[in-house]
Amino acid sequence: MNDDVRNTVLGVIAAGISAALGWLARTYLWKRRLRRKQAFFGLPDNSETLLVVNRDAGSPDLAVHRYDVFALLELSALIKDCGANAQVVTQDAAQQGFGERTEFCVGGPGSNRRMLAHMSAMLPGVRVNIDPEPGPDRGAFQIGTERYRMEPGITEYVLLARITTGQSRPVFLFCGQRAITNQAATRYLARHHEQLARKYGNKSFVLLLKVVNSQAYGPDVVELVADVTRAAQTSPPAPAAATTPAPRNSHRSS
């Protein structure tokens, strides 16, 4: 074997080894990212998850709003990427305990009783105005001492929460002032789950998001307003009870 042939063979072998090492490195990094994603969502291989959807309160047949359908599709893609399986149920058919399976709950408490139960139990510091009558506070969020009113199509808010207790599977809440904001929150989660996993790990968090000019941009332009975890999980102080002053003793002079 002359030098040219030997160099060619060695070059082919070196290229093959480099390609194999590169493939192994990419596979390792892909699997590590997948495991982190599965841990954040609580979705190991072949696990079961629950997608709880609300009903469109403005529809005469109480159908699911199209933006909530889009939100379910985006969540389904996340679940499939984790190698898990999803079951879609309406808010009146979900009757499992907290943390048995990973749960994604979509819709505000006015149209989703499951969301109302979760917020009452786990987010006592959040109040949502579900009064159907028109008014400036319709759909407004009260979080601690702050109030967030919506301007439909201009400025709207949505809560994105990951709630877990101990070793239970997480529950993800997408509680928006309108259906389009629910989809905005699911899209935000799909885009930023890696950053959220690095920041919060397996801990609970509650984020307040603002959807900007949805009438022009749809659910795409979303801003993080604040991390409201502490305020949302803190029960508001009980109103002070009114006290009646004790009557003064009267002394009759003789």
Side-chain angles (χ1 to χ4, degrees):
M1 180 183 296
N2 59 36
D3 291 342
D4 291 338
V5 174
R6 183 173 61 252
N7 291 337
T8 300
V9 171
L10 292 175
V12 170
I13 293 173
I17 293 174
S18 298
L21 291 175
W23 178 83
L24 289 173
R26 287 192 298 271
T27 301
Y28 170 77
L29 293 175
W30 174 80
K31 286 186 176 181
R32 187 173 67 172
R33 290 182 63 185
L34 175 61
R35 298 306 176 209
R36 288 177 176 175
K37 186 175 182 179
Q38 289 176 324
F40 176 74
F41 287 110
L43 294 174
D45 290 331
N46 299 315
S47 58
E48 298 292 329
T49 185
L50 201 63
L51 289 172
V52 182
V53 65
N54 65 345
R55 298 297 185 98
D56 181 7
S59 174
D61 57 356
L62 295 179
V64 179
H65 196 284
R66 65 189 181 98
Y67 286 117
D68 288 329
V69 174
F70 297 153
L72 294 180
L73 291 175
E74 298 202 18
L75 292 173
S76 297
L78 284 175
I79 294 168
K80 183 178 180 181
D81 287 345
C82 290
N85 305 305
Q87 177 187 1
V88 181
V89 297
T90 56
Q91 50 89 23
D92 52 353
Q95 296 179 340
Q96 73 165 34
F98 175 85
E100 295 179 11
R101 291 185 286 176
T102 295
E103 178 180 339
F104 298 88
C105 192
V106 177
S111 58
N112 189 330
R113 288 183 293 180
R114 182 81 171 174
M115 178 68 73
L116 178 61
H118 285 327
M119 294 184 70
S120 298
M122 297 176 286
L123 303 180
V126 178
R127 294 289 183 269
V128 181
N129 188 330
I130 59 176
D131 188 350
E133 295 299 323
D137 285 333
R138 183 180 180 182
F141 291 167
Q142 181 80 29
I143 306 174
T145 60
E146 299 293 330
R147 180 170 298 179
Y148 301 91
R149 295 185 176 96
M150 69 169 174
E151 299 178 63
I154 305 298
T155 301
E156 297 145 325
Y157 296 94
V158 57
L159 287 173
L160 167 61
R162 180 189 190 274
I163 308 297
T164 185
T165 57
Q167 300 300 316
S168 65
R169 296 287 177 85
V171 172
F172 289 87
L173 305 180
F174 307 88
C175 176
Q177 294 177 326
R178 296 176 65 215
I180 195 170
T181 63
N182 297 331
Q183 185 192 2
T186 60
R187 185 165 294 182
Y188 183 92
L189 180 65
R191 291 174 175 174
H192 299 280
H193 66 84
E194 291 185 352
Q195 297 95 309
L196 294 173
R198 285 194 295 269
K199 182 174 182 178
Y200 297 103
N202 292 327
K203 298 179 181 178
S204 298
F205 63 79
V206 185
L207 305 180
L208 179 66
L209 308 176
K210 180 169 68 175
V211 183
V212 180
N213 201 0
S214 63
Q215 64 184 359
Y217 303 125
D220 284 336
V221 182
V222 180
E223 298 176 359
L224 173 62
V225 178
D227 180 332
V228 295
T229 307
R230 178 173 296 182
Q233 294 183 328
T234 302
S235 299
T243 58
T244 303
R248 295 180 178 179
N249 294 328
S250 60
H251 299 279
R252 181 180 297 177
S253 58
S254 55

